[in-house]
């Protein structure tokens, strides 16, 4: 309808979550008006990120460097590890900016019904990491869903042998909720009142 | 928060209409999971479009070729010219796919309050084009807003000297509405019942 190349661009954009065909068209129109200030920089940012993106071999975070910028930082408390299900949970906690330790991204939750067992998550790596780095505290920040809590239980058991202090986010996170949807204040409060 | 490069990408995406910081983050996360099938193709489509995009010297449409794919097509009725305000109106009519003629994009409407006069729109080009190509009909498809109707009036006067038949979209387009928001059926009906 709108030229093959532009049609293709609209179709690709419409595949992003939160964008449908109509909003993709509006986005493309907007970009066509600002090719130099928006379209080109966006193309370059996408290409660079797609080419350089990698998973941090220490914590599982997604970044363009390995180790990621958090694991590589000198301003973090390196003996605290906060365990999250997914990268978006890490991002949510970082937005709250009240946690200054390191992270460990599991890559999901235990889910027997979906056939996801401990070997599918980065749990062995967590146990080794806690031993190797002599971490003083592991904060379990899995979601307060059934699967998230099952996973937290399992990890607590697995970490028993290491003797590390294992804490959880305080009740303050609404039950059944997901970290990525919480406001920063609630996340900060839940971190402070961890038990 | 999420690494400088990824942060930059999120900020650029958040500038698109319809996307805020939260949906931009979700979009980036989605793309980071599919770098090869979504992120790279999108980067390439954006770059190619940004590099090749141009305004058709005949009709003012945006495309990667000049003349645009509509003006260059052999399957269009070349003596009918549909005059629209903006490129998105052209796209809307193309989606209805009931119009098989050519287009002329004005680039806006007359708006004395904003200091937009006839010389700021592609009206002189329209008059010359009608004369040069001996068009048999000009359909004025400006929006049914005050500015759109003023512009249609003005163009009708200007086209008097050419003797071309000037028609307008039928009343069927809701008054005060914008073409880009209409469903295809209404657009088709309005085209058929043009007067």
């Amino acid at each position: 309808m709108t030229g093959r190349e532009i049609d293709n661009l609209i179709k690709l954009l419409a595949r992003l979550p939160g964008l449908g065909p109509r909003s993709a068209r509006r986005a493309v129109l907007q970009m066509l008006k600002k090719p130099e200030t928006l379209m080109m920089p966006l193309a370059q940012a996408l290409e660079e990120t797609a080419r350089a993106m990698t998973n941090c071999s220490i914590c599982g975070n997604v970044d363009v460097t390995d180790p990621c910028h958090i694991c590589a930082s000198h301003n973090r408390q390196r003996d605290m590890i906060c365990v999250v299900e997914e990268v978006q949970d890490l991002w949510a906690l970082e937005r709250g900016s009240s946690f200054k330790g390191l992270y460990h991204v599991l890559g999901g939750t235990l889910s027997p019904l979906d056939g996801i067992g401990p070997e599918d998550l980065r749990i062995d790596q967590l146990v080794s990491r806690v031993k190797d780095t002599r971490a003083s505290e592991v904060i379990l920040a899995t979601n307060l869903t059934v699967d998230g809590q099952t996973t937290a239980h399992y990890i607590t058991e697995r970490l028993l042998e290491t003797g590390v202090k294992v804490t959880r986010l305080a009740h303050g996170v609404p039950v059944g909720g997901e970290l990525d949807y919480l406001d920063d204040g609630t996340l900060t409060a839940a971190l402070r009142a961890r038990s």
Side-chain angles (χ1 to χ4, degrees), chain A residues 44-56 61-68:
Chain A
Q44 279 155 11
L46 280 168
E47 204 199 331
E48 277 165 30
T49 310
R51 198 168 36 206
M53 69 154 280
T54 181
N55 283 91
C56 175
N61 187 14
V62 176
D63 206 339
V64 293
T65 53
D66 181 16
C68 74

Side-chain angles (χ1 to χ4, degrees), chain A residues 5 47 55 69 71 74 81 85 97 107 109 115 127-128 139 151 158 161 164 177 180 183 188:
Chain A
E5 291 80 3
E47 204 199 331
N55 283 91
H69 71 290
C71 287
H74 294 295
I81 299 175
E85 293 176 11
S97 63
T109 52
V127 177
S128 322
I139 305 174
T151 311
R158 286 288 304 274
E161 54 164 317
V164 72
D180 193 30
D183 62 282
T188 305

Side-chain angles (χ1 to χ4, degrees), chain A residues 48-185:
Chain A
E48 277 165 30
T49 310
R51 198 168 36 206
M53 69 154 280
T54 181
N55 283 91
C56 175
S57 52
I58 300 174
C59 74
N61 187 14
V62 176
D63 206 339
V64 293
T65 53
D66 181 16
C68 74
H69 71 290
I70 296 175
C71 287
S73 168
H74 294 295
N75 301 317
R76 315 283 305 204
Q77 198 177 335
R78 306 192 69 83
D79 60 342
M80 287 182 84
I81 299 175
C82 181
V83 177
V84 293
E85 293 176 11
E86 300 281 4
V87 172
Q88 58 256 48
D89 302 325
L90 185 160
W91 290 6
L93 283 161
E94 280 297 283
R95 285 200 297 283
S97 63
S98 54
F99 180 67
K100 293 296 176 199
L102 304 178
Y103 292 94
H104 196 87
V105 181
L106 293 173
T109 52
L110 294 177
S111 180
L113 285 177
D114 300 321
I116 299 174
E119 65 285 357
D120 299 312
L121 306 177
R122 302 181 70 256
I123 294 179
D124 287 341
Q125 288 96 318
L126 174 64
V127 177
S128 322
R129 186 178 166 195
V130 167
K131 283 181 189 161
D132 295 348
T133 63
R134 294 184 202 163
S136 64
E137 180 175 354
V138 169
I139 305 174
L140 298 178
T142 52
N143 288 316
L144 291 183
T145 55
V146 173
D147 284 347
Q149 291 307 291
T150 310
T151 311
H153 263 291
Y154 177 82
I155 293 175
T156 309
E157 302 260 308
R158 286 288 304 274
L159 288 175
L160 269 183
E161 54 164 317
T162 66
V164 72
K165 181 178 165 194
V166 177
T167 59
R168 299 214 197 166
L169 290 190
H171 284 293
V173 181
V175 176
E178 303 209 329
L179 284 192
D180 193 30
Y181 282 99
L182 284 185
D183 62 282
D184 302 343

